[in-house]
Amino acid sequence: MKLPTTTFEFILYFVRVQWVKFSLLAFISMVWAVNETIFPYFLKRIVDVLQNYEGDRQHVFFALKGILILLVLFWLFTEILQRVQGVLQIYTFPRFRSNIRDAVFKYIQFHSHEFFSSHFAGNISKKIADLPTSCQIVVEIVCLQFIIAITGASVVLITLLMTKALFAIILMTWLIIHIGLTIIFLKRCNYLWVKHSDSLSVLTGRIVDVLTNMANVRLFSHTNYESKYLKQFQHDEVAKAKSAMWMMELVHVGLGLNGLFLIFGMVFVLLYGWINHWVTLGDFTQIGMQTFWLLSWVWFVSYQTTVFVRELGSITNALSIVEKGHDLTDKADAYPIKITQGEIRFEDMTFYYNNNRRVFKNLNLTIPAGQKVGLVGFSGSGKSTFVNLILRFYDVKSGRILIDGHDIARVTQESLRSQISMIPQDPSLFNRTLIENIRYGRLDASDEEVIEASKLAHCHEFIEKMENGYQSMVGDRGMKLSGGQRQRIAIARAILKNAPILILDEATSALDSATEKLIQQSLQEVMKNKTTFVVAHRLSTLSEMDRIIVFNKGEIIEQGSHAELLQANGHFAMLWNMQTDGFLPRGTSKTIDNKSN
């Protein structure tokens, strides 16, 4: 679903969902404004009656009864509408915020893997949190304040035209100047608040980044450094806030002088008219009260303009997360894939990242269904990219990838990934209970199935020893658990998912030798009848693979069984001989080139 990317289009998109309720809110505001501005007219009628009344003062109520009854009825009607408006807000704004939050969150989830790798999670979450609140504030100001001011000004001008047209002309002139000054500075103020909002988002992202890496901060004793590091971003936020606020103060100075001219101008003309007998005391009461009412409301709205412009800036900044289109999208005719065998074919596949760093060129490769494949190579050789392309975290530049004969670019991403299990090297857990984290592999799994998967992953033992067992919270990203425990939870999750394609990315690297041996036995059972990829630096873990593929600089330079590759005495044999305690040494593909010469 494509969302509007301009501020007012975005707000209107969600206002239309509840247009009847928002229309009623605006209508009630208009009625309230009419009541407030017409009240001085009733006072004028009362004052004029009193000024010209010559009968018994005890009977003055009879002379005023029509006006008083009308005034009371009008006031009661407005009060009832005000309560209705309050109830409407209860049923309108929470849903309004929820609709925005839900739509933006759904949209964000379909951004590419690269998008989330390039943006602070804290920055994104702040924008998602700010957007609904800022949109509500803008709508509230428009529906509950701007409309009141506009309606009130219209009623005042009409009643002044009916009473004394000269004062309507004076008020209209003042309003034109006031609105003109506001519009002149509005664009500049909005620009400055957008800059400030962006600066604040960056600062929030940096703070979240530090908090997320608090263990590193403490390990390296860099608390003072981080405080100094954040100061540069805080100084930028403060400087931009000051610029925007100074601009608003200049606007208020201009509007204040304009308001001063209105008050003194109106009072002078009223006194002059009274002296010359063409302004009555009733006129004086009505025009004076309406002028002061309108001036106070316009002033209030002018100050609210500060909030209005600031929130518009926040919205504009937050909309950057929906302005960017999705890099990876399902085609219009995409269909859900059902993987039954698990055969994978790469046909003339070429891929490079946006920086044009080529990884694969015209790659042709077939992985038979159910085959267990080991992926070997130094960091940067293409193993992770190879796996990510199967998951369709990126689209190939040319050629295609087929699973069971289906081009994965033509199937829905959701259905593709639902049938691939992956156990990453550094699994991240949700700050939820253990049973929720494991059940994430298959949401409809029963408690018994979750426990069975936990036993196979050898995490049932440590879970039962925890105070709340499977109901224990794991903390942010699972930080309450050790690395090995998180790894076992991730393995249990993948076991529970039971997908026809399984990817293990150093899945047992964080485990001790005894636990690894037990889990390796469990994984052998899990791998049965599944197309399996095992990314490993510990080459000894690949001895049971049907096939090992050796990568170097985005090319497959060798492939075969463990025994065949050792017998061939090529690059894999060289890597095997270079191992220390079963692991590949740290190095680059350059090392391979040098050793082979």
Side-chain angles (χ1 to χ4, degrees):
M1 179 184 66
K2 181 64 176 173
L3 295 173
T5 56
T6 60
T7 302
F8 290 107
E9 285 181 358
F10 183 86
I11 294 172
L12 286 173
Y13 179 84
F14 293 96
V15 166
R16 289 191 194 102
V17 176
Q18 304 181 83
W19 69 270
V20 173
K21 293 177 184 175
F22 281 111
S23 298
L24 283 173
L25 286 173
F27 174 74
I28 294 170
S29 293
M30 292 171 66
V31 173
W32 186 86
V34 170
N35 175 72
E36 288 291 298
T37 49
I38 210 72
F39 182 70
Y41 177 74
F42 287 120
L43 284 183
K44 164 192 160 52
R45 295 283 304 277
I46 292 170
V47 170
D48 284 342
V49 168
L50 293 176
Q51 185 180 9
N52 299 317
Y53 187 73
E54 297 178 353
D56 187 349
R57 293 195 175 190
Q58 298 296 324
H59 300 141
V60 74
F61 287 102
F62 291 101
L64 296 172
K65 67 178 180 180
I67 300 172
L68 292 176
I69 290 172
L70 189 61
L71 182 60
V72 169
L73 290 175
F74 209 93
W75 192 275
L76 285 174
F77 177 67
T78 307
E79 281 298 307
I80 291 170
L81 284 182
Q82 283 288 89
R83 303 293 70 77
V84 171
Q85 188 181 62
V87 173
L88 273 174
Q89 290 181 60
I90 294 171
Y91 287 95
T92 303
F93 285 117
R95 183 185 168 195
F96 177 70
R97 295 195 307 271
S98 176
N99 288 343
I100 293 174
R101 196 180 298 113
D102 184 56
V104 173
F105 183 69
K106 284 180 179 177
Y107 185 87
I108 291 298
Q109 289 184 91
F110 287 97
H111 273 314
S112 66
H113 190 65
E114 187 175 358
F115 175 87
F116 291 103
S117 301
S118 306
H119 292 79
F120 282 116
N123 193 329
I124 296 172
S125 61
K126 184 180 185 305
K127 289 177 179 180
I128 294 174
D130 285 350
L131 197 52
T133 304
S134 294
C135 287
Q136 176 176 329
I137 292 171
V138 167
V139 172
E140 283 179 334
I141 290 174
V142 171
C143 282
L144 307 180
Q145 295 165 20
F146 285 179
I147 285 180
I148 289 175
I150 293 169
T151 305
S154 301
V155 174
V156 168
L157 287 171
I158 291 169
T159 54
L160 289 185
L161 279 170
M162 294 168 58
T163 306
K164 291 289 184 292
L166 174 62
F167 295 100
I169 294 170
I170 295 172
L171 193 59
M172 177 62 78
T173 304
W174 174 80
L175 278 171
I176 291 171
I177 296 172
H178 186 94
I179 293 170
L181 287 173
T182 303
I183 291 173
I184 289 171
F185 289 103
L186 188 63
K187 188 175 181 180
R188 177 62 181 170
C189 291
N190 183 53
Y191 171 79
L192 292 174
W193 281 118
V194 169
K195 289 293 183 183
H196 170 260
S197 183
D198 182 59
S199 177
L200 186 58
S201 294
V202 171
L203 174 61
T204 303
R206 296 289 178 179
I207 291 172
V208 172
D209 186 45
V210 173
L211 294 176
T212 303
N213 290 280
M214 188 53 67
N216 285 331
V217 175
R218 288 173 176 169
L219 282 172
F220 290 93
S221 302
H222 283 338
T223 52
N224 290 331
Y225 169 79
E226 292 302 331
S227 295
K228 292 177 182 177
Y229 176 77
L230 287 175
K231 276 186 178 178
Q232 59 182 311
F233 299 101
Q234 293 203 70
H235 288 159
D236 183 60
E237 186 272 333
V238 169
K240 287 176 178 174
K242 285 181 177 179
S243 296
M245 293 172 76
W246 267 115
M247 179 56 65
M248 293 310 303
E249 284 306 309
L250 290 174
V251 174
H252 291 150
V253 169
L255 297 181
L257 290 173
N258 191 40
L260 189 66
F261 293 145
L262 173 68
I263 292 298
F264 279 97
M266 279 290 199
V267 171
F268 176 80
V269 176
L270 280 169
L271 289 172
Y272 180 82
W274 182 79
I275 292 168
N276 290 279
H277 303 287
W278 51 270
V279 170
T280 67
L281 287 178
D283 294 336
F284 207 114
T285 302
Q286 175 197 336
I287 296 169
M289 286 188 67
Q290 286 185 325
T291 301
F292 276 102
W293 180 92
L294 185 59
L295 180 63
S296 63
W297 253 102
V298 170
W299 255 106
F300 174 71
V301 169
S302 297
Y303 273 100
Q304 285 299 100
T305 303
T306 306
V307 179
F308 184 78
V309 174
R310 185 184 68 210
E311 297 305 326
L312 285 180
S314 295
I315 295 169
T316 302
N317 176 255
L319 284 178
S320 62
I321 57 178
V322 298
E323 283 175 355
K324 179 176 172 55
H326 294 140
D327 297 324
L328 281 171
T329 57
D330 290 336
K331 296 186 182 300
D333 58 349
Y335 57 92
I337 185 175
K338 178 63 177 175
I339 300 174
T340 55
Q341 302 297 319
E343 182 194 63
I344 301 174
R345 292 206 316 269
F346 290 78
E347 295 184 349
D348 293 321
M349 190 275 291
T350 296
F351 174 77
Y352 52 86
Y353 291 101
N354 289 335
N355 57 10
N356 293 322
R357 179 173 62 84
R358 183 174 61 81
V359 182
F360 296 111
K361 183 178 181 181
N362 299 328
L363 175 66
N364 287 282
L365 180 70
T366 298
I367 310 295
Q371 189 171 72
K372 298 191 291 291
V373 180
L375 306 179
V376 176
F378 284 116
S379 297
S381 60
K383 305 186 302 298
S384 295
T385 303
F386 182 84
V387 166
N388 288 335
L389 288 173
I390 294 173
L391 287 161
R392 204 190 162 201
F393 284 160
Y394 304 94
D395 271 334
V396 300
K397 304 303 178 182
S398 63
R400 58 182 186 162
I401 301 172
L402 305 174
I403 297 181
D404 286 350
H406 299 276
D407 184 349
I408 65 172
R410 304 198 67 83
V411 303
T412 61
Q413 298 174 64
E414 193 84 4
S415 66
L416 172 67
R417 293 169 194 151
S418 71
Q419 296 172 82
I420 301 176
S421 292
M422 182 171 182
I423 305 172
Q425 182 177 2
D426 183 23
S428 180
L429 305 182
F430 293 98
N431 187 14
R432 302 171 189 174
T433 62
L434 282 162
I435 196 167
E436 286 179 291
N437 273 286
I438 298 172
R439 187 176 276 131
Y440 208 76
R442 182 159 55 87
L443 296 176
D444 61 351
S446 65
D447 289 354
E448 291 74 19
E449 289 173 313
V450 171
I451 292 172
E452 182 60 30
S454 301
K455 289 178 178 178
L456 287 173
H458 294 275
C459 56
H460 179 72
E461 297 83 356
F462 81 78
I463 291 175
E464 285 212 309
K465 292 178 183 177
M466 298 183 74
E467 183 178 354
N468 297 312
Y470 281 88
Q471 298 302 320
S472 301
M473 299 292 290
V474 302
D476 183 32
R477 296 183 303 144
M479 294 306 291
K480 288 185 178 181
L481 305 178
S482 68
Q485 289 173 331
R486 289 198 300 274
Q487 196 81 49
R488 280 181 272 177
I489 296 298
I491 292 171
R493 191 161 55 189
I495 290 173
L496 188 65
K497 188 175 182 180
N498 194 29
I501 297 175
L502 178 63
I503 299 171
L504 310 176
D505 185 2
E506 293 288 345
T508 60
S509 61
L511 305 175
D512 59 84
S513 299
T515 305
E516 180 187 23
K517 187 174 181 180
L518 290 171
I519 290 179
Q520 286 287 5
Q521 293 172 359
S522 299
L523 288 175
Q524 288 300 323
E525 291 296 317
V526 175
M527 289 179 193
K528 284 183 179 178
N529 302 318
K530 290 182 175 61
T531 305
T532 305
F533 296 92
V534 180
V535 180
H537 286 97
R538 193 185 314 191
L539 301 186
S540 58
T541 62
L542 302 178
S543 58
E544 300 297 323
M545 295 293 103
D546 300 322
R547 178 183 183 185
I548 296 173
I549 299 175
V550 184
F551 289 90
N552 182 34
K553 296 181 179 178
E555 295 182 0
I556 296 175
I557 56 174
E558 282 186 336
Q559 52 180 312
S561 69
H562 186 270
E564 289 170 346
L565 291 177
L566 286 179
Q567 189 175 4
N569 199 29
H571 285 277
F572 180 79
M574 184 190 315
L575 295 175
W576 180 267
N577 295 326
M578 290 169 64
Q579 291 184 133
T580 303
D581 297 327
F583 285 94
L584 281 179
R586 296 292 178 188
T588 65
S589 57
K590 192 180 233 181
T591 309
I592 296 178
D593 297 336
N594 292 338
K595 290 280 184 183
S596 61
N597 290 333

